[in-house]
Every structure is written in C-alpha cells, then in structure tokens.
Amino acid sequence: MRATRDGRPLAALLLDLDDTILDDAAGADEAWALAADGLVARQPGLAQAEVVVELERARSWFWEDPERHRRGRLDLVAARYEIVGQALERLGRPDAELAKETSQAYTTLRDRNQRFLPGAKEAVERLRGLVPAMALVTNGASQPQRAKVERFGLAPHFDHIQVEGEFGLGKPEPEVYEHVLASLGVRAEDCLMVGDNFGADVLGAQAAGIHAVWMNVRGKAKPPGRASKPHWTVQSLEELIARLV
Ligand SMILES: [Mg+2]
C-alpha cells in the first residue's frame, strides 16, 4: 500500500521530532517542582508556592520572545540557567551558582524522562513502509537532538535528518524546507509536513508550498490571529496514517 493525500500519491513525508514523535512535555512539571524543592532547600525562608510562581513567570518570559526562543532552544542548559537566575532575582535571592546547579539538575531529569508519544514508535515504522521518502526536520542544537535520534533508534527510518544547529537555520525559515526538498529530490506539492508547532511547522511549510498537518497532541486551541489553516489536524501519527491509507 502507498500513502496518498486526497488521492494523490505522496512522494515524501516530513516529520518534526519533539511533540510529534517524542513526548516533549514528559516530566516537565515534575522536574520544575523538584527544581523548586531544591531552591527552597538551599535558600531557607523562601516559600515553595512563591518559587513555583516565579519559575513559571520566568519560563513564560523567556520563551515568549522569538529571539530568546531561538537562542534558548540552541542551548537549553543556558536557557534554564537564565530562567532560574531570573526567578531567584525576583525572589530577592540572586545566586548564580545555585542557578547553574539547578539548570543542570533539571536538564538531567528532563533527559531521563524522554519517551515516545503513545503509539509513535510503531507509527513511524509503519509510515516508513507507506511513503517513498521520509525526512526528520527538527529545531534545536545538534547534540541533544542527535542524542534523541540515537536513543530512540530513529535514524534508519529517515532518508534525511535536518537539525537546526547543524544546518544553521531553523523552521519556519523557508530555506529549511527548500533544503529538505532538494535533499530528497522531491517537489513541494508532493509532500506533507507534520508538526506540533503552528508557526514553525504549519505556517513554515505552507510558506514553502508544502501541505502541512498540525499535530495537536494535547488538543490545544489554534493560535489566535492565524488566518492560515492546516491541511489536516491530527492528534497522533496513528490518526495521520488513517488519513493517508
Ligand atoms: Mg515540535
């Protein structure tokens, strides 16, 4: 059997990695709660609830800015150091050493919690047999993204793996998608891009002429102010397969 999009044979499937194949939120809340415990233990007198609030505030502040986001996803430990440092500052307890230790401990914990989204391992294997070519297109630094590819044995399923930190540009830049198409030797209109990030994956692919599927794993509302519509919205790769065959 061969995959089709609305009756047309698909030449290639482009997949995002985090929150499309792997669960990128696994253990995040738990890890931040443990980070808060650690900060309270080392800075007596701080109220746990207050620490949690300031950590949340610092995370939102850090990730909402596109340039900080780009810088942060290319160096997650540095991003987390800045987040914890900012929270400690607002709590009136600036402590660079503690911020450094906490960001490293948090990162270790998050890495340990990485896992496939339910059914995603089998779905990727199945897709490999349904589509002539597959590309993995992921933002982030080379080291952590390659470590995930290795840990979860993903490389054999893809003809092309493109990591922001190696290519030099990240989604949604059109050059990212153009390079993927050229590497696979396929035309944009014969491809499908699947990813959870509405801006980077859906709008980015569409800007390059590629039909895009929004992977809405957690059933979120579509980001406001986005006129563009994804070709399909799915909640899992299994649901995508059902559409393709
Ligand atoms: Mg993603």
Side-chain angles (χ1 to χ4, degrees):
M1 202 185 313
R2 180 149 172 210
T4 56
R5 189 201 73 235
D6 307 327
R8 282 181 57 142
L10 206 59
L13 187 65
L14 283 51
L15 291 177
D16 165 53
L17 178 61
D18 296 308
D19 270 344
T20 296
I21 298 172
L22 301 180
D23 185 344
D24 194 40
D29 289 343
E30 182 200 353
W32 278 119
L34 285 172
D37 289 347
L39 294 180
V40 171
R42 293 279 298 278
Q43 286 278 357
L46 282 181
Q48 165 91 9
E50 224 181 314
V51 174
V52 169
V53 167
E54 287 303 339
L55 282 173
E56 264 174 27
R57 196 198 303 259
R59 285 153 72 189
S60 304
W61 164 80
F62 187 90
W63 293 112
E64 77 194 1
D65 176 71
E67 179 47 32
R68 268 198 304 272
H69 194 290
R70 194 192 62 79
R71 181 162 56 78
R73 68 184 186 243
L74 289 170
D75 190 343
L76 288 171
V77 180
R80 289 156 183 168
Y81 170 73
E82 217 173 310
I83 288 166
V84 178
Q86 160 103 203
L88 283 170
E89 192 114 2
R90 286 185 57 102
L91 290 159
R93 308 285 183 96
D95 187 337
E97 191 52 41
L98 181 56
K100 189 173 161 203
E101 283 171 35
T102 305
S103 59
Q104 284 166 347
Y106 174 86
T107 300
T108 303
L109 212 58
R110 282 298 304 277
D111 290 353
R112 199 180 301 156
N113 279 329
Q114 287 165 358
R115 57 178 178 233
F116 277 103
L117 284 164
K121 182 178 192 288
E122 297 73 19
V124 170
E125 288 165 7
R126 177 112 197 270
L127 285 165
R128 167 89 278 198
L130 291 172
V131 187
M134 299 247 286
L136 187 67
V137 191
T138 177
N139 277 357
S142 177
Q143 190 279 327
Q145 298 311 85
R146 287 285 172 184
K148 282 182 262 191
V149 168
E150 175 74 20
R151 177 175 173 188
F152 295 99
L154 292 169
H157 303 305
F158 293 94
D159 305 285
H160 177 70
I161 295 177
Q162 192 167 309
V163 181
E164 177 182 21
E166 297 166 2
F167 180 64
L169 283 174
K171 299 173 285 186
E173 300 299 330
E175 292 93 331
V176 168
Y177 290 102
E178 286 159 12
H179 187 75
V180 173
L181 298 176
S183 301
L184 294 175
V186 294
R187 296 182 307 175
E189 59 267 36
D190 300 327
C191 299
L192 205 53
M193 167 70 193
V194 185
D196 69 293
N197 187 303
F198 205 89
D201 300 320
V202 175
L203 301 181
Q206 288 176 337
I210 302 169
H211 289 275
V213 177
W214 186 31
M215 174 65 74
N216 190 7
V217 185
R218 282 169 250 287
K220 288 183 286 196
K222 190 179 148 202
R226 305 289 205 185
S228 195
K229 263 183 57 181
H231 193 69
W232 294 324
T233 297
V234 298
Q235 279 198 285
S236 68
L237 289 176
E238 286 158 315
E239 194 183 335
L240 173 73
I241 291 172
R243 300 261 193 158
L244 291 175
V245 297

